[in-house]
Amino acid sequence: MNARQVGYQCLNFAMIVSSALMIWKGLMVVTGCESPIVVVLTGSMEPAFQRGDILILTMDINDPIRVGDITVFKIDGKDIPIVHRVIKVHEKNGTRFLTKGDNNPTDDRGLYAPGQYWLTLTDVVGRAKGFVPYVGMVTILMNDNPKFKYIVLGLLGLFVLVHRD
Amino acid sequence: MHSIWSRANTIFAFTLSVLSAVTFCCFLSTIWLPNTAPVTISASNPRLKSMVDYASDGSKSDVVMLSLNIQADVSSVFNWNVKQLFIYLVAEYSTMKNHLNQVVLWDKIILRNEKTVIIEESIPPKYYYIDDGNNLLSHKNVTLVLKWNVIPNAGYLAMAQGEGQFVVQMPDNYISGRF
């Protein structure tokens, strides 16, 4: 392989990486949400969402939070997003709501910060509007087995650089 | 295009593309359906108590107990792209303290191929009906509606409301003793 081919392969690689980044950022703009695609990690919303399903989120602050919405929220101090359904709403100047996972016997107050009994819009990352089954299992496998992740990424990088088409 | 690896690679890539296209078509095929159905809701014997509400720093809130009747046939909502319906009964009302309140009193999950007719008679609420404050005494306009969330096999998570509602009128005094 001469220098030109090497350069071409590197450009190819850069194109793939930057296209992926463009799609991701584009999705962030379209949905208005900083994390538009999340993988379901727990079984707390079964049988609707199983571990490994993908949720597409939107964040529209002009569409108020209402009972039944599936919200993805983060508790102050913890950075794991939780995907649960809103079961109570009381709205004054702002909206206060309570969530519960479909498969959980009790509401989420045990998960909130100490002294916090309600969630507000600032805790919400987005609302689930779209659903794709199973595809997120790859992410879960890679998170549970970091060696697998490095092997897959390494092989992918190798193939893109070496492939001669 | 003659080694086993390049063939396997092409087949894999093609499979993924076809699967994504079919999933997208699956999503498109059912997005504009109305997802509604007629429902019959009624409630009787509402009773009010005022109890200490741990979720509001120790002040008292109104707690309601009532007897619910729900009848609905949601089989028309199930199409080929529906995995499950999450059905919930909401009490919606407006008070002096909060201009909008929504409390889920009861919910049910119906999966594909399960019985799609709901007949609930004289059941108590599944979750405590606690107001945020003391504004339910003599409230004449608490509306009960039945809503559902359509969970697809792949696609848009739609919300719909059943056609039919019931207005509960709260009593003018608290009861003493137990519910």
Side-chain angles (χ1 to χ4, degrees), chain A residues 118-131:
Chain A
W118 303 97
L119 291 176
T120 55
L121 200 61
T122 49
D123 300 306
V124 175
V125 170
R127 253 179 295 195
K129 292 288 184 193
F131 168 76

Side-chain angles (χ1 to χ4, degrees), chain A residues 2-164:
Chain A
N2 61 27
R4 193 170 186 184
Q5 277 176 315
V6 169
Y8 188 75
Q9 297 294 8
C10 288
L11 270 183
N12 244 352
F13 186 69
M15 275 289 285
I16 294 173
V17 171
S18 52
S19 308
L21 192 62
M22 275 181 358
I23 293 174
W24 180 249
K25 291 291 178 186
L27 263 181
M28 276 173 67
V29 168
V30 163
T31 61
C33 179
E34 55 176 36
S35 171
I37 297 189
V38 293
V39 178
V40 175
L41 296 170
T42 64
S44 57
M45 284 291 282
E46 290 193 0
F49 306 142
Q50 325 276 359
R51 239 170 91 82
D53 292 338
I54 291 217
L55 294 176
I56 300 169
L57 311 179
T58 61
M59 180 65 171
D60 183 2
I61 49 176
N62 297 320
D63 181 13
I65 305 266
R66 293 291 175 249
V67 156
D69 286 348
I70 301 171
T71 52
V72 179
F73 57 91
K74 284 191 187 172
I75 307 297
D76 267 336
K78 309 180 196 169
D79 58 14
I80 314 170
I82 306 176
V83 186
H84 283 172
R85 195 184 294 273
V86 175
I87 59 167
K88 286 192 187 177
V89 169
H90 294 289
E91 190 167 278
K92 237 190 308 208
N93 305 322
T95 314
R96 287 175 307 145
F97 58 96
L98 176 65
T99 57
K100 173 182 168 296
D102 291 350
N103 207 22
N104 290 348
T106 56
D107 59 43
D108 288 344
R109 287 200 168 121
L111 295 173
Y112 298 167
Q116 180 186 17
Y117 295 113
W118 303 97
L119 291 176
T120 55
L121 200 61
T122 49
D123 300 306
V124 175
V125 170
R127 253 179 295 195
K129 292 288 184 193
F131 168 76
V132 185
Y134 311 124
V135 178
M137 266 321 250
V138 179
T139 315
I140 291 189
L141 277 175
M142 294 215 291
N143 276 336
D144 289 347
N145 313 302
K147 284 188 225 168
F148 180 66
K149 174 164 65 174
Y150 296 134
I151 292 174
V152 166
L153 287 178
L155 279 176
L156 270 177
L158 199 65
F159 276 127
V160 171
L161 286 171
V162 166
H163 187 61
R164 285 175 207 222

Side-chain angles (χ1 to χ4, degrees), chain B residues 105-151:
Chain B
L105 300 184
W106 172 90
D107 59 34
K108 186 176 176 136
I109 293 175
I110 297 186
L111 293 170
R112 271 189 101 69
N113 300 325
E114 279 183 358
K115 200 161 75 88
T116 53
V117 175
I118 302 165
I119 301 179
E120 303 281 350
E121 285 177 12
S122 304
I123 54 168
K126 196 172 174 190
Y127 305 109
Y128 278 112
Y129 182 174
I130 305 179
D131 181 31
D132 179 38
N134 282 306
N135 305 77
L136 279 178
L137 206 56
S138 307
H139 201 296
K140 296 302 173 201
N141 204 355
V142 174
T143 311
L144 297 179
V145 287
L146 196 68
K147 300 189 186 189
W148 45 81
N149 187 200
V150 180
I151 316 275

Side-chain angles (χ1 to χ4, degrees), chain B residues 15-173:
Chain B
T15 311
L16 282 186
S17 321
V18 168
L19 273 179
S20 326
V22 169
T23 307
F24 188 68
C25 291
C26 196
F27 147 62
L28 280 183
S29 67
T30 55
I31 29 173
W32 286 296
L33 293 177
N35 294 321
T36 54
V39 306
T40 312
I41 311 169
S42 64
S44 56
N45 195 16
R47 291 149 280 158
L48 268 183
K49 269 177 79 84
S50 182
M51 297 171 81
V52 175
D53 186 3
Y54 72 93
S56 64
D57 300 323
S59 56
K60 285 188 157 197
S61 294
D62 286 346
V63 181
V64 183
M65 187 55 69
L66 71 178
S67 182
L68 300 167
N69 301 306
I70 308 164
Q71 281 164 19
D73 182 358
V74 291
S75 31
S76 58
V77 184
F78 276 91
N79 55 58
W80 71 314
N81 195 19
V82 174
K83 181 165 93 166
Q84 170 194 318
L85 281 190
F86 185 88
I87 305 170
Y88 49 105
L89 183 75
V90 190
E92 295 183 338
Y93 57 101
S94 172
T95 63
M96 301 284 288
K97 185 178 177 196
N98 297 304
H99 67 90
L100 177 84
N101 298 280
Q102 291 182 315
V103 180
V104 171
L105 300 184
W106 172 90
D107 59 34
K108 186 176 176 136
I109 293 175
I110 297 186
L111 293 170
R112 271 189 101 69
N113 300 325
E114 279 183 358
K115 200 161 75 88
T116 53
V117 175
I118 302 165
I119 301 179
E120 303 281 350
E121 285 177 12
S122 304
I123 54 168
K126 196 172 174 190
Y127 305 109
Y128 278 112
Y129 182 174
I130 305 179
D131 181 31
D132 179 38
N134 282 306
N135 305 77
L136 279 178
L137 206 56
S138 307
H139 201 296
K140 296 302 173 201
N141 204 355
V142 174
T143 311
L144 297 179
V145 287
L146 196 68
K147 300 189 186 189
W148 45 81
N149 187 200
V150 180
I151 316 275
N153 285 321
Y156 183 66
L157 291 160
M159 302 285 238
Q161 180 164 324
E163 290 149 11
Q165 61 180 43
F166 184 83
V167 177
V168 181
Q169 300 187 324
M170 294 298 170
D172 298 323
N173 3 308

